[in-house]
Amino acid sequence: MSQSSQISTAGRESSRPAGGAPASRRRPLLTAYPSLLALPALLLLIAAMGYPLLTIVLRSFSDPAWGLQNYIWFFSTPVNVTVLWRTFSIAGWVTIVCVISAYPYAYLMTAVGPRLRLVLILCVLVPFWVSGVVRTLAWVILLQDSGIINSVIGLLGLDTVKLIRTQTGVVIGMAQVLLPFMILPLYSVMRGIDLRLVQAARSLGARPSRAFLQVYLPLSLPGVFAGAIIVFILSLGFYITPALLGGPRSTMLSTLVQSQVLSLLNWGRGGAMGVVLLVATFLLLALAAPLMRQRHKQASRS
């Protein structure tokens, strides 16, 4: 009996590593610290975005000399303030149009069968395979005074509408480009909603409209907020679509930044415009975050 116990004890001692610690306590570094897996992506993000952003911020204060002269010039020029306000206004209208257009489409994707759902998803993904410049040039053909849209309006006996070189045309073109970014978050949230909750509300006597507004809509609000934030932020930096579809009265801040940096080679003023747009976006998101967080909690509770 003692001989067998000595053999088992020796076997356990021989299975231990040379350092004396049990093998179960010595784990790989990535297993002990899984956050290290994000280190390459973090370094790439810092190199691709952090360094250029820091350079632009420093140039906005140091070009041509250290000081606040670039920011004073921006806020003392009425055109710059007007264009800044117009940029946020256009981004807001684009977001509203995308929400109104994407919500029924995303709801339809959750209500149809698997085959038709695959077709609808394919229709959402196809625009990603086409260049944004090509899509914008297509809208130039459609929205021009002698284009297809005005031709159809003329056949109906109505007066033609000025769409090209207007803010309306810019909103239409930008909404078409950004619509997939609203549909996909909506669909991901709506897919997880249990439709039996709506059926239960209707079985308790609620009208279809009331069951939708009080049950389904609150549960889908996280997807609405997520898509709206993505669309709004992407709208603020659009350049090609406003340049091709818009006119002088629909100029966005990205166009002014391009003219200051590439045409006038004034990196300080261009950097100041970019920093003002970035700070204004962060402030707006900071004001909207508590409301979105409250709506998300209410949807989770319901």
Side-chain angles (χ1 to χ4, degrees), residues 4 10 14 17 35 58-59 75 84-85 105 109 121 129 193 198-199 221 226 252 270 281 284 289:
S4 62
S14 61
S35 58
L58 291 178
R59 284 200 171 190
F75 289 104
L84 178 64
W85 168 254
Y105 190 92
M109 291 172 64
I121 294 176
W129 304 337
I193 298 176
V198 180
Q199 296 176 359
L221 285 181
M252 298 181 67
T281 304
L284 186 62

Side-chain angles (χ1 to χ4, degrees), residues 128-162:
F128 288 109
W129 304 337
V130 182
S131 173
V133 178
V134 175
R135 284 183 284 171
T136 304
L137 291 176
W139 278 111
V140 172
I141 299 174
L142 294 174
L143 298 178
Q144 61 185 349
D145 297 335
S146 58
I148 298 176
I149 297 179
N150 276 319
S151 299
V152 174
I153 293 176
L155 292 176
L156 296 177
L158 302 175
D159 295 334
T160 59
V161 182
K162 181 67 175 178

Side-chain angles (χ1 to χ4, degrees), residues 220-239:
S220 64
L221 285 181
V224 175
F225 290 142
I229 290 175
I230 295 174
V231 171
F232 184 82
I233 293 178
L234 292 178
S235 300
L236 295 176
F238 257 58
Y239 170 72

Side-chain angles (χ1 to χ4, degrees), residues 15 29 46 63 66 71 80 111 133 157 210 296:
S15 64
L29 185 61
I46 293 175
D63 190 0
W66 284 98
Y71 294 93
N80 296 332
V133 178
R210 186 175 182 181
H296 183 72

Side-chain angles (χ1 to χ4, degrees), residues 45-68:
L45 185 64
I46 293 175
M49 297 188 62
Y51 176 73
L53 181 60
L54 180 62
T55 302
I56 291 298
V57 173
L58 291 178
R59 284 200 171 190
S60 67
F61 289 100
S62 61
D63 190 0
W66 284 98
L68 300 175

Side-chain angles (χ1 to χ4, degrees), residues 85-96 171 174 228 231-236 252:
W85 168 254
R86 183 187 299 144
T87 300
F88 280 90
S89 176
I90 292 177
W93 280 111
V94 170
T95 305
I96 293 174
V171 171
M174 291 176 60
V231 171
F232 184 82
I233 293 178
L234 292 178
S235 300
L236 295 176
M252 298 181 67

